[in-house]
Amino acid sequence: MKMSGRLKLKAPANSASNLDDNVNERILSECHGIYTDKEKGLVQLAGDLGLPLLPPRKKITVMLMGNHSAGKSSFINWYVEEHIQRTGVAIETQGFTFITSGRKRESLTGNATLHLYPHFQKLQDFTGVADYLSTEISSSRQKKFSLVTFIDTPGLVDGDMKYEFDVEKALIWLGDQVDLIFVFFDPMGQALCKRTLNIVEKLNEKNNEKLRFYLSKADEVPQENDRQRVMMQIVQELCKRPGLNKCGFDMPTIYIPDPAKPSRCLNQIDEVCQTIEKTINQTVQNTLNHLEQDAEVIAERIDVKLAEDSQQVIVNRNIRIKHWLFGFLGYILPFFYLSSFLITYFLYDGLAAQVGEEVAHAIFIYVDIIAVIWGWLAGDNVLWGIFVTLNLSLVFILLSKFYSGSKPTLSRKEKRKLRATQEYIQEVVKPRKMELYAWYLQQCISDYDLS
């Protein structure tokens, strides 16, 4: 897949297309901001509630893979309309290169790449991969590039070719993270590279809906029957693999259009662009839907937390009542009997002179009651009465200790914070989501249909 010597920039896209791009870009950016705001971001709010939450990405990620010289880098250059990636017959791409849009042309190393893409941090866990990571930033605004990040992967070959890292494990892990996986088969090269087929088979196990297969550099096969034969060989080889033998297997033919080299071969490269655009639109919808779902989860979690706290307050109150009641009984029983024993040594007249007639009368009634209870407990054995009293007191004290462990509850400040968060979700996040959704739909339908 060769590029012409000098790229000619296309005419500016129509205003409607630019408007769509700007709307989608702003929606994804605003949604990302709602999650990552330092003070009221949903990630922070969810984290405070013990809920793990990841912010949505501002762009879709497309990974390109295939045998060496399959045209992956050339396709990226064509899409971006800038010579970002080196192309050629040799294995030019030996690592993973992220190609994304930005304010100016820039190249980043592996460490900077991991800082730029924190959700790809685990790549550093694969021995040697970090040294073969890079990022190319372009200011191009062609096609839908402002909403796409491409990952150009190492060219795959069979035989004695050794990589500086486990390329198979890295590609399979990346397959779980990206939105689309483009597999390019080169009819003039190693289209049936077993390493490529093995990785595709494993990617298909969990990411079959992301996989798209293309016969690249199709114009370099001069005869249509030769192209058909090559495609049949590739499809047959793929269909031998478990999970890949699905009906209606599709493999469009694509190549880089070159006005200087017209070709009669059907070029379906625009379908690749349509696939990217469709994925962008679906990602915008999914992002808005996830925003609503995550907001609901946070609001429901706050409801549950406040309800649990209210219930715990009631439980703690009951525990404290039992704690003080049993504690009172445990300590008051010995005091009652000791005080009644001492009071019996005072004469009624002397006690009345000290505390008054009415109080003295009440005290002696109390002593009589204690004496009756004591007689019932002790009978003829005073030691038995003391034993029962002390053990009963000990039981009450142990029960008091048992009911002393109340669980912590929310403070007033914490409750106010939770209610403020709930109010923010209901009055700011959800209405903003509805506005963004309406804004997105206005690209497709008329204002009349929205009313």
Side-chain angles (χ1 to χ4, degrees):
M1 190 185 292
K2 295 181 180 179
M3 301 284 294
S4 57
R6 179 175 298 177
L7 276 175
K8 295 183 179 180
L9 295 179
K10 291 170 56 179
N14 60 60
S15 58
S17 178
N18 285 338
L19 179 62
D20 291 351
D21 292 349
N22 292 336
V23 170
N24 288 335
E25 189 173 355
R26 184 169 176 181
I27 289 174
L28 292 176
S29 180
E30 285 207 26
C31 287
H32 186 271
I34 291 173
Y35 278 83
T36 58
D37 183 81
K38 292 182 179 180
E39 294 184 0
K40 291 188 176 182
L42 296 190
V43 173
Q44 178 65 41
L45 297 178
D48 293 340
L49 296 168
L51 298 172
L53 201 62
L54 292 175
R57 300 174 190 172
K58 296 180 182 180
K59 305 178 182 181
I60 70 166
T61 307
V62 181
M63 181 172 75
L64 290 84
M65 60 168 291
N67 56 283
H68 81 88
S69 189
K72 304 182 296 296
S73 300
S74 295
F75 172 82
I76 293 172
N77 291 342
W78 171 81
Y79 192 92
V80 178
E81 299 195 16
E82 184 177 336
H83 281 285
I84 292 180
Q85 292 290 84
R86 291 190 303 170
T87 61
V89 177
I91 304 178
E92 298 289 357
T93 306
Q94 298 183 355
F96 295 98
T97 304
F98 293 74
I99 299 93
T100 191
S101 62
R103 296 181 180 178
K104 64 176 183 178
R105 185 73 176 88
E106 189 66 75
S107 298
L108 304 179
T109 60
N111 288 333
T113 296
L114 293 175
H115 280 86
L116 182 62
Y117 299 104
H119 43 281
F120 289 114
Q121 287 280 352
K122 286 190 177 181
L123 278 175
Q124 61 188 346
D125 296 339
F126 296 90
T127 304
V129 171
D131 295 330
Y132 287 85
L133 287 178
S134 63
T135 297
E136 298 295 334
I137 301 174
S138 169
S139 59
S140 170
R141 303 287 294 183
Q142 299 301 320
K143 303 181 182 68
K144 305 293 181 180
F145 183 53
S146 61
L147 292 165
V148 183
T149 294
F150 290 108
I151 303 179
D152 198 2
T153 63
L156 302 173
V157 296
D158 288 331
D160 298 330
M161 173 65 182
K162 292 184 179 180
Y163 299 86
E164 299 298 325
F165 50 87
D166 194 328
V167 66
E168 181 175 324
K169 286 185 178 180
L171 283 169
I172 293 172
W173 183 84
L174 278 170
D176 294 334
Q177 317 305 317
V178 301
D179 299 286
L180 284 172
I181 305 170
F182 289 167
V183 184
F184 284 6
F185 292 101
D186 173 15
M188 305 303 292
Q190 300 182 31
L192 299 179
C193 170
K194 290 190 179 349
R195 191 192 296 267
T196 301
L197 297 176
N198 290 338
I199 294 174
V200 167
E201 184 178 6
K202 292 183 179 179
L203 284 169
N204 183 72
E205 293 175 3
K206 293 195 299 181
N207 300 292
N208 64 312
E209 75 286 350
K210 301 178 183 179
L211 285 166
R212 303 290 188 276
F213 301 97
Y214 300 100
L215 182 68
S216 61
K217 298 197 291 189
D219 61 328
E220 294 190 6
V221 181
Q223 300 297 325
E224 178 64 26
N225 58 343
D226 293 332
R227 281 194 297 272
Q228 294 297 328
R229 186 174 64 255
V230 171
M231 289 182 64
M232 286 297 298
Q233 291 175 350
I234 297 173
V235 171
Q236 287 176 1
E237 189 64 30
L238 284 170
C239 289
K240 290 179 183 178
R241 305 293 178 119
L244 290 174
N245 53 351
K246 54 187 177 181
C247 298
F249 196 92
D250 190 23
M251 185 181 293
T253 56
I254 64 172
Y255 57 91
I256 301 301
D258 185 356
K261 289 179 55 180
S263 173
R264 293 183 179 181
C265 175
L266 176 63
N267 191 0
Q268 296 172 281
I269 197 167
D270 286 339
E271 291 187 14
V272 187
C273 300
Q274 292 171 8
T275 298
I276 293 174
E277 184 174 356
K278 185 183 296 184
T279 304
I280 291 171
N281 292 332
Q282 189 60 53
T283 299
V284 173
Q285 296 177 43
N286 292 340
T287 299
L288 290 170
N289 291 336
H290 286 150
L291 173 58
E292 183 175 19
Q293 292 169 7
D294 291 338
E296 284 289 348
V297 168
I298 293 174
E300 290 174 1
R301 178 58 180 162
I302 292 174
D303 286 336
V304 170
K305 199 172 183 66
L306 289 173
E308 289 177 347
D309 182 73
S310 298
Q311 185 62 33
Q312 190 59 50
V313 168
I314 296 173
V315 171
N316 286 351
R317 185 185 300 122
N318 292 334
I319 289 175
R320 283 194 295 270
I321 290 173
K322 292 177 182 178
H323 169 71
W324 289 108
L325 177 61
F326 287 125
F328 174 79
L329 292 174
Y331 289 104
I332 205 68
L333 282 178
F335 172 77
F336 277 171
Y337 288 108
L338 179 60
S339 63
S340 64
F341 176 77
L342 294 175
I343 290 171
T344 55
Y345 283 88
F346 287 89
L347 295 176
Y348 181 84
D349 293 338
L351 187 60
Q354 295 293 325
V355 298
E357 186 73 25
E358 292 182 0
V359 175
H361 179 71
I363 290 175
F364 271 87
I365 291 175
Y366 150 75
V367 171
D368 288 338
I369 294 172
I370 296 298
V372 171
I373 297 175
W374 178 260
W376 175 71
L377 287 174
D380 296 331
N381 192 335
V382 177
L383 291 178
W384 169 251
I386 295 173
F387 175 78
V388 172
T389 302
L390 292 178
N391 277 276
L392 190 60
S393 175
L394 180 61
V395 169
F396 285 138
I397 292 173
L398 291 176
L399 286 172
S400 175
K401 295 290 185 183
F402 178 77
Y403 286 107
S404 63
S406 61
K407 294 183 179 179
T409 55
L410 298 173
S411 65
R412 292 182 181 180
K413 182 178 180 180
E414 289 172 327
K415 290 180 182 178
R416 284 197 301 269
K417 183 178 179 181
L418 287 175
R419 293 191 179 99
T421 297
Q422 200 168 41
E423 184 177 342
Y424 171 73
I425 293 293
Q426 298 296 339
E427 298 183 5
V428 178
V429 175
K430 289 185 177 181
R432 187 54 183 156
K433 176 263 174 185
M434 295 300 295
E435 292 175 4
L436 292 174
Y437 223 128
W439 197 10
Y440 169 74
L441 292 175
Q442 283 176 354
Q443 302 175 96
C444 312
I445 58 181
S446 64
D447 292 337
Y448 175 81
D449 294 326
L450 285 174
S451 58

